[in-house]
């Protein structure tokens, strides 16, 4: 049986880390693609040279032409530019929207049966454009943000409670970052919801509120420390978990930017919701009942996504 093929469009910080993780986890052969010639080839060779030490047999190649992604089973897209000082969000949308057009067309022509994970920001808008330009079924195109946001939330909660990160689960909804909606009544330590842990004296509401804010600002905290770029290790781990659930048909329940049509009273947009990811891509959207506070936070988040979608819709094609 042939190995799976994973195409990484964008060979920057996240792309390179994705390639290394795909190798370490034996997920399949990897093609790194970038418009900057030499970088994808150099990173692929560097990681291939680690393979004898690490003991994986994936074939890693780098390319600057879209034919190289032909027949990919999974495509993870990080291509684009990150925000620089002095740039407006509209500038970022304009540039990255053009990138999504090129990437979407490249996917359509070369690997229309792939499962596509978008990482490029602003995530909820870019994933919608990628689906539009690739023409792939909506269940086969998703965005990565919720796994990262909930991983950050889990990490901070584990630190606060003094327990293993493995025993902390977190449930998040909504757009990426600032407007993320953490559902603390569905976030647990070994099944015990956070509000109960507060009652048990393990933490206080104030402390949990601070953790929620730190999670929402998680990306900015890393940018502030790195100064020259944004987070890449945890984003790459998060996307690999999604790819693995698809390739191995694990049916993990993971929060993704998925196309919502009917659920949560929404029609026809990409936004962060819990999903079941398996061999059919997004196999189910998990719809839970929200209380009034949660509903208000979710609406705020959805409105932020809609506003950016309108900006994107007004761009020249
Ligand atoms: O949670 C999330 N979704 C995110 C998103 C978390 C962290 C970072 N997030 C976003 O991912 C970030 O704002 C960026 O939009 C992407 C990629 O982040 P990365 O840190 O990997 O950025 P780099 O290092 O600048 O890499 C981007 C690469 C770079 O090598 C460019 O040459 C390439 O993209 N690029 C392209 N490749 C192919 N095709 C085109 N058109 C193209 N344009 C740029």
């Amino acid at each position: 049986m042939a190995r799976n093929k994973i195409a990484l469009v964008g060979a920057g910080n996240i792309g390179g880390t994705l390639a290394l993780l795909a190798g370490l986890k034996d997920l399949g052969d990897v093609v790194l693609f970038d418009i900057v010639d030499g970088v994808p080839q150099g990173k692929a060779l560097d990681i291939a040279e680690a393979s004898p030490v690490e003991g994986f047999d994936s074939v890693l190649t780098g390319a600057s032409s879209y034919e190289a992604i032909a027949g990919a089973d999974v495509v993870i897209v990080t291509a684009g530019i990150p925000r620089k000082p002095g740039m407006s969000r509209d500038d970022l949308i304009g540039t990255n929207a053009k990138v999504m057009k090129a990437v979407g067309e490249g996917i359509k022509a070369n690997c229309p049966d792939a499962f596509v994970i978008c990482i490029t920001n602003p995530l909820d808008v870019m994933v919608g454009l990628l689906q539009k330009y690739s023409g792939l079924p909506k269940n086969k195109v998703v965005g990565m943000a919720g796994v990262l946001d909930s991983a950050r939330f889990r990490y901070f909660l584990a630190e606060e409670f003094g327990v293993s990160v493995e025993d902390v689960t977190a449930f998040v909804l909504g757009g990426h970052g600032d407007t993320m909606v953490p559902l603390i009544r569905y976030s647990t330590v070994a099944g015990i919801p956070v509000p109960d842990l507060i009652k048990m004296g393990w933490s206080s509401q104030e402390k949990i509120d601070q953790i929620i804010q730190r999670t929402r600002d998680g990306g900015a905290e890393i940018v502030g420390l790195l100064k020259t770029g944004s987070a890449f290790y945890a984003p790459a781990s998060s996307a690999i978990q999604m790819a693995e659930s698809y390739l191995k048909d694990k049916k993990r329940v993971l929060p993704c930017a998925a196309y919502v049509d009917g659920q949560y009273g929404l029609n026809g947009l990409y936004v962060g919701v819990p999903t079941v990811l398996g061999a059919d891509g997004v196999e189910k959207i998990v719809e839970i009942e929200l209380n009034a506070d949660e509903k208000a936070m979710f609406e705020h988040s959805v409105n932020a996504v809609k506003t950016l979608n309108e900006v994107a819709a007004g761009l020249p094609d």
Side-chain angles (χ1 to χ4, degrees):
M1 205 170 80
R3 284 187 213 121
N4 287 316
K5 177 170 175 177
I6 298 147
L8 307 173
V9 179
N13 281 336
I14 299 179
T17 313
L18 287 168
L20 177 63
L21 288 174
L24 291 175
K25 288 174 182 272
D26 262 327
L27 288 188
D29 293 338
V30 175
V31 175
L32 272 159
F33 169 93
D34 205 289
I35 43 164
V36 181
D37 197 33
V39 170
Q41 292 87 347
K43 289 195 178 181
L45 182 60
D46 192 10
I47 296 168
E49 288 167 356
S51 67
V53 183
E54 296 292 348
F56 59 83
D57 290 297
S58 311
V59 175
L60 286 114
T61 43
S64 311
S65 110
Y66 271 107
E67 286 92 74
I69 70 169
D73 299 287
V74 169
V75 182
I76 308 180
V77 179
T78 58
I81 51 154
R83 208 154 31 153
K84 295 190 186 81
M87 264 180 107
S88 78
R89 188 160 240 176
D90 295 9
D91 293 337
L92 190 63
I93 290 186
T95 307
N96 285 353
K98 285 197 199 104
V99 174
M100 290 307 106
K101 186 165 192 279
V103 175
E105 290 170 355
I107 291 172
K108 185 182 196 165
N110 293 287
C111 48
D113 296 323
F115 177 60
V116 178
I117 302 171
C118 180
I119 302 187
T120 304
N121 266 330
L123 193 265
D124 302 274
V125 182
M126 291 303 131
V127 63
L129 293 178
L130 196 58
Q131 189 281 323
K132 176 177 137 186
Y133 292 124
S134 67
L136 265 59
K138 297 186 172 87
N139 60 310
K140 298 289 285 295
V141 183
V142 295
M144 187 293 292
V147 176
L148 173 64
D149 288 331
S150 67
R152 286 177 173 152
F153 193 35
R154 288 170 65 195
Y155 173 71
F156 299 142
L157 288 173
E159 214 182 15
E160 166 66 3
F161 295 134
V163 298
S164 165
V165 288
E166 284 187 81
D167 294 319
V168 180
T169 64
F171 198 111
V172 299
L173 279 176
H176 179 38
D178 310 353
T179 63
M180 174 204 80
V181 183
L183 296 187
I184 62 163
R185 67 198 175 100
Y186 287 118
S187 302
T188 74
V189 170
I192 310 166
V194 169
D196 290 4
L197 292 159
I198 295 173
K199 279 188 214 142
M200 287 155 60
W202 281 38
S203 186
S204 62
Q205 188 62 53
E206 293 68 46
K207 219 47 221 285
I208 298 297
D209 289 344
Q210 280 168 18
I211 287 174
I212 290 170
Q213 199 50 46
R214 188 174 177 197
T215 306
R216 287 196 174 120
D217 298 337
E221 185 176 1
I222 304 279
V223 170
L225 292 165
L226 295 180
K227 294 179 187 75
T228 53
S230 49
F232 54 101
Y233 293 113
S237 292
S238 303
I240 287 290
Q241 185 174 61
M242 293 164 64
E244 196 171 11
S245 190
Y246 169 76
L247 289 169
K248 298 185 180 169
D249 192 23
K250 283 172 75 82
K251 304 191 194 295
R252 296 286 317 262
V253 180
L254 298 173
C256 303
Y259 190 79
V260 181
D261 204 9
Q263 298 91 346
Y264 293 98
L266 298 171
N267 285 311
L269 88 160
Y270 272 91
V271 70
V273 285
T275 65
V276 176
L277 286 190
D280 288 332
V282 175
E283 297 188 349
K284 189 185 267 182
I285 288 174
V286 183
E287 192 179 10
I288 55 152
E289 200 134 315
L290 302 177
N291 66 30
D293 281 355
E294 293 160 352
K295 233 180 230 163
M297 280 193 282
F298 189 49
E299 255 165 44
H300 172 66
S301 186
V302 168
N303 286 338
V305 173
K306 281 184 180 165
T307 304
L308 285 186
N309 276 339
E310 277 159 25
V311 174
L315 293 169
D317 213 19

